[in-house]
Amino acid sequence: MNYADNDFLALAAPWVAELTPYVPGKPISELERELGIRNAVKLASNENPLGPGPKALAAMAALANELGRYPDGGGFELRRALAEFHGTSPAAITLGNGSNDVLDLIARTFLQPGVESVYSEFAFAVYPIAIQAVGATARVAPARNYGHDLNAMLALINEQTRVVWIANPNNPTGTWLAAAPLRSFLGAVPKSCLVVIDEAYTEYVNEPDFPDTTHWLETFPNLIVTRTFAKAHGLAALRVGYGISDPRLAELLNRVRQPFNVNALAQAAATAAISDREHVRATVELNRAGMQQVSVGLTALGLEFIPSVGNFVTVDCKRPAAAINEALLQRGIIVRPLANYGLPNHLRISIGLEAENARFLSALAEVCAA
Ligand SMILES: *Cc1c(COP(=O)(O)O)cnc(C)c1O
C-alpha cells in the first residue's frame, strides 16, 4: 500500500470511510452561546417536555452514594422489571445504552460485508448508519405516502438478507403500520431474516389497530422488538433502551454487548419508570393536546403536514426548509431539518409544552410573513 503520512481515511475500513455521521438536534446551550440569548426552545429531538417522572428522579437520588461502584453488568433488577411488564422471561431482554445501542448490537451480531439489510426510504437515520458501519449492503425500499411500503420491502428480501428494520411509528414521518399488514409481512419474511420492529413511540399511539408486537414473539422467533426510555419516559439523557426477542437471539446480542453498557443511574431510573403509569399517562395527554395545538396552528398558516401518531409532526414547507430553519434559529427556536432524509422541504417539530408550541407557532408565523 502506498501510504501518505496521516492519511487516516485510507486506513479506515472502506465502508467507514464513506460513512456520514448522524446529525443530532442542536443543543439548547449551543444556540444560546451562538446568539447570546437565553430561554431558547428546543423542539428538535422528540424529547418528553415533562422530563423524568417523580419515581425515576427518586430512584436516581437514592443512588448517589453508590456511584463509586460499577453498575450491575447483567442489569438484573431492570430486566426483571421489564420481563414483568411484558410478561416475558428476563432472558428475552437485551439492555442497551439507548435503544440505538441495541440496534447497533443487532447490526454487529448479524451483519457483515457480503450480506444485505433492508429498510424504508424516510425511515429512522440510524438504520443506514448501523448497516454501513459493519460493511453490509443496504437495500432501501421506496416509501408510500411517506410511510413504510411493506410489499416494496418484501420485494427486496432475498437469501442474503439478514436484517430488516421497521420503525412503528416511524420517525421522522409519524406514519404507522396496522397489525394485520405487519403480521402478514412477518409471515412472508424468510426465517433466515431477522425483523427489527422499533417501537420507540409506542406509548403515544392511540389507534385501535396499532399492534404491540411484543405479543408476537412466540409466533415469529425471528422478531426483535426494541423500546426506549428516551421518549415517553422522559429519560433521554440517561441513554437506556432494550430489545425483546427469543432468548437465543438475546444471548447472541449479549456476546457483543459491552459489559457495563447501561449505567447505574439509568438502570435505577428505568426500573422505577417502567411502573410509573401516571407519568406516561400525563405525558401522552400533554402530547395529545400539544399535537392539536400545533396542527391547528400549522393549518392556520396554510401549511401541510404528515399526519403523525408520535410526539412530533413533519411539515411540508413547499420550498427549501433550510432558510426557514435558519430564521427560526435566529428567533431562538430549534426544530429539525430533514434534508439528510431526502426531505429538503420538510421540518420536523417535536411537540413541547403549550408555551413552547406557542412560541414556535408565532416565530413560524413571523418567518412565513417575511
Ligand atoms: C428516538 C428514537 C429511538 C430511540 O433512541 P434511543 O437510543 O433509545 O434514545 C429509536 N428509534 C427511533 C425511531 C427513534 O426515533
Side-chain angles (χ1 to χ4, degrees), residues 191-202:
K191 297 298 167 234
S192 56
C193 175
L194 301 177
V195 179
V196 177
I197 302 188
D198 176 348
E199 298 186 342
Y201 301 94
T202 192

Side-chain angles (χ1 to χ4, degrees), residues 176-188:
W176 61 283
L177 294 163
L182 191 52
R183 217 184 147 92
S184 30
F185 174 81
L186 278 159

Side-chain angles (χ1 to χ4, degrees), residues 309-331:
V309 295
N311 65 342
F312 55 89
V313 62
T314 287
V315 184
D316 185 354
C317 302
K318 308 261 183 195
R319 55 185 161 119
I324 299 172
N325 182 53
E326 194 49 46
L328 288 171
L329 285 172
Q330 291 303 319
R331 288 163 176 77

Side-chain angles (χ1 to χ4, degrees), residues 81-107:
L82 291 171
E84 192 179 326
F85 181 80
H86 289 290
T88 69
S89 130
I93 309 285
T94 306
L95 298 182
N97 185 22
S99 58
N100 196 150
D101 188 25
V102 180
L103 303 175
D104 227 40
L105 293 177
I106 294 166

Side-chain angles (χ1 to χ4, degrees), residues 97-100 103 124 127 167 171 198 200-201 228 230-231 239-240:
N97 185 22
S99 58
N100 196 150
L103 303 175
F124 189 37
Y127 311 148
N171 167 25
D198 176 348
Y201 301 94
T228 181
K231 306 287 160 54
R239 313 303 304 123
V240 51

